[in-house]
Amino acid sequence: MKTIRIKNFRSILNSGNIEINNLNLLLGKNSSGKSSFLRLFPMFKQTVRNELRGPVLWFDESYDFGNYSNAYSRYAEKDGNIMFGFTIDFPRKKCSSEKCLDCFIYKYMSNPFMKGAIQGSLDIYLNADSKGTFLQKIEATVGLYNIVLSVNDRNDNILIKINDNLYNDIQIKWKYNTRGILPDFAGDEDNPSKVISQIINKYLKKDKIELKYTEKEFRSLFSINSLSKKDIYTQFKRKKNNSFAKLITESMTFDDPEFSKICDSIIFINLMEFLLFMDKSISTDFTKSHYITPLRYSFTRYIRNKDFAVDNIDPSGKNVMEYILSLGEDDLKSYISFLETSLGISVTVEGKDENKSIYIQKDEEKDNIIDVGYGYSQILPIATMLWDVANKQHKCEFSETIVIEQPEIHLHPSMQADLVNLFINALNLSKEKGNPIKLILETHSSYLVNKLGRFIREEKLSSDDVSVYLFDKNQGITNITSTKFDNHGRIQRWPIGFLD
C-alpha cells in the first residue's frame, strides 16, 4: 500500500494523501487525531478477517469507534460520507517463493484496466441507515480509467460509470456477508454472463445453428485488450477458431444494440476482476499489519503455561511467554541475539511445572521481569513483535506493517532513545530478508525523535526512508502536515507545542 486518504472521519475532515514509508512518525499533541489514524489498521484488519453484514467492523478488543454516527465527523457536511481511500503499486516482478500465498496478484496483470498502469487507487464512501452502515460509492482510478459505482440506498441497483460512460444493461447490487474491503456483486437473470448467453442463444435459435463448444471457449470471450466496442469487435474477428466470436461478428455489426449489450457485459466482468484484485491487494496489506496498544500487558511473577502454539504477538503482548516457548532452537538463538544487539538484554523462560517465569538478564545479572522495573514489561512485547515480523519477511510484493502507539510509555529517557536501535535493527533484518517492513509510530518522546535524527546524521539511516506527519487540531478539526528529516537529522518543520 502506497498511500491512505481519509475524509469526514472523527476530527479528520480531509487527511490528504498519507504516504506509507519504511519508517513513519506521527507527532502532535494529545487528542489531535493520531490515534484515529493509527487504529484504522486494526479496524480494517478485523474487517477483512471477519464475515460481516456491512462494510466495516467499527469496534473490537483493541479499538472502539462506536458506530457510523460516532465516527462521522461533527464538522462535516450533513449529506457527506466517511471516505477511506487507498493507493497501491502494481506488481513489478514475481515473488521468488513458490509457496507464497499472496502471489495471487500476478494472474490479474493481463486485465485491460491494468495494462500499462503502474498503480491504482480505490476510494470507498460509507453511509448509514436504520440497518447500519452501507457502502454508497466506490471511486477507482487506474491508468486512463476513472470508475464510479454508486447507489442512493443500500438496496438500489448499482449505477456504473466508466470515464463518464454509463453502463445500464447490467442489473447488479451489493451483496454483504462477505470478507474483504468490498462486498460482492449480486445479480439475477441479468447478470453479465447470462446476458451474453441469452443473446447468443437467441441467434442460435433464430438460425437453428448447433455449436460444439467448451466452457473455456465461452470464457475466452471475456479476455479483451481494450474497452472500445470497435476494438472488441475487431478482436472477435481475429478469433477465427472461437465459434462464439465467429457467430457474433457474422450476426451483428459493432454498433448493433445487441453487440453493445455483449460489450457492456464483458467490460463489467473485467471490471469485477479489477475490483477483486484491488480488494484482495488492500485486504492482504491490512491482514499483514500488526498493532501494539499504548498500554501493554503487565507481566506477573508466575505465568501459567497453557501450552499454546503461538506464531504471532497479541496487540497487548500478553502471549509473549507462549510465543518464546513456541520458538525452535535456531529461531530462539536469533531472537536472543536481536534483543542483545538492540537492548543489551537476554530473555529466558524458566520453571519446572505449569507456572513459568520470564527472566531478564542484563550486565550479568538475571532477575524476574517484575523485579527489573516496569519498562521492560512494556518494551518486551514491542521487541518481540518487531523481531517476529522482520524475521518472517521474504521477497514479495507485500510487506508487513507494524503500528505502535506511544512505544515510550513507562520508559526512562535513555531507554526511549534505545527504542531507535530496536526499530532500525528490525528494519535492517527485514531488508536482509529481501523485503523491508513498514513501521508507523505515534510518539510524544523528544528523546526518540532526536535519536532518530542522530542516526540520520551519522548515516545509519537514510532520511528518504523516514516520513514525518504533524497532527494539529484547530477548532476541533485535525490538520495533517507532511515534513521530513534533512540530511543533518533535523526535522524541517518542528511541530508547534510538541514540548509544551
Side-chain angles (χ1 to χ4, degrees), residues 311-328:
D311 62 359
N312 56 68
I313 303 301
D314 179 85
S316 69
K318 64 183 179 182
N319 62 348
V320 164
M321 187 194 76
E322 299 281 356
Y323 175 85
I324 295 172
L325 290 173
S326 300
L327 291 174

Side-chain angles (χ1 to χ4, degrees), residues 167-185:
Y167 292 79
N168 298 318
D169 292 323
I170 307 302
Q171 303 299 306
I172 212 91
K173 296 181 179 182
W174 303 132
K175 177 186 176 184
Y176 293 100
N177 289 19
T178 59
R179 296 172 189 262
I181 298 291
L182 301 179
D184 287 339
F185 297 96

Side-chain angles (χ1 to χ4, degrees), residues 175 181 186 199 244 256 275 383 389 393 397 409:
K175 177 186 176 184
I181 298 291
I199 292 172
F244 289 118
D256 191 303
L275 292 175
V389 174
Q393 291 294 85
E397 295 291 341
I409 284 182

Side-chain angles (χ1 to χ4, degrees), residues 270-288:
N270 282 276
L271 173 60
M272 285 195 294
E273 184 182 70
F274 165 69
L275 292 175
L276 177 61
F277 163 80
M278 294 293 290
D279 187 19
K280 291 177 73 173
S281 296
I282 295 166
S283 296
T284 299
D285 271 316
F286 280 116
T287 300
K288 297 170 83 68

Side-chain angles (χ1 to χ4, degrees), residues 119-175:
Q119 64 178 213
S121 68
L122 179 73
D123 295 346
I124 60 173
Y125 292 78
L126 308 180
N127 208 332
D129 56 17
S130 59
K131 294 182 179 179
T133 309
F134 69 93
L135 179 62
Q136 186 151 56
K137 184 169 68 170
I138 296 171
E139 286 190 4
T141 302
V142 54
L144 301 175
Y145 303 108
N146 180 255
I147 301 157
V148 179
L149 287 76
S150 62
V151 297
N152 287 323
D153 298 309
R154 69 165 64 230
N155 294 319
D156 287 350
N157 287 323
I158 301 169
L159 181 69
I160 304 165
K161 186 185 290 186
I162 304 175
N163 289 354
D164 294 325
N165 295 317
L166 285 172
Y167 292 79
N168 298 318
D169 292 323
I170 307 302
Q171 303 299 306
I172 212 91
K173 296 181 179 182
W174 303 132
K175 177 186 176 184

Side-chain angles (χ1 to χ4, degrees), residues 439-493:
L439 300 175
I440 304 178
L441 314 173
E442 184 258 325
T443 183
H444 297 156
S445 172
S446 60
Y447 301 100
L448 191 158
V449 175
N450 289 334
K451 184 67 173 288
L452 194 57
R454 178 180 167 184
F455 268 55
I456 292 172
R457 185 170 65 251
E458 295 174 352
E459 298 184 350
K460 296 178 181 178
L461 176 69
S462 170
S463 60
D464 293 334
D465 288 336
V466 184
S467 293
V468 181
Y469 290 95
L470 311 179
F471 284 65
D472 177 49
K473 187 186 282 189
N474 184 19
Q475 295 183 334
I477 298 172
T478 295
N479 298 306
I480 304 174
T481 305
S482 173
T483 186
K484 61 179 298 184
F485 286 92
D486 61 24
N487 291 330
H488 299 289
R490 295 186 293 257
I491 291 181
Q492 293 178 349
R493 181 179 173 182

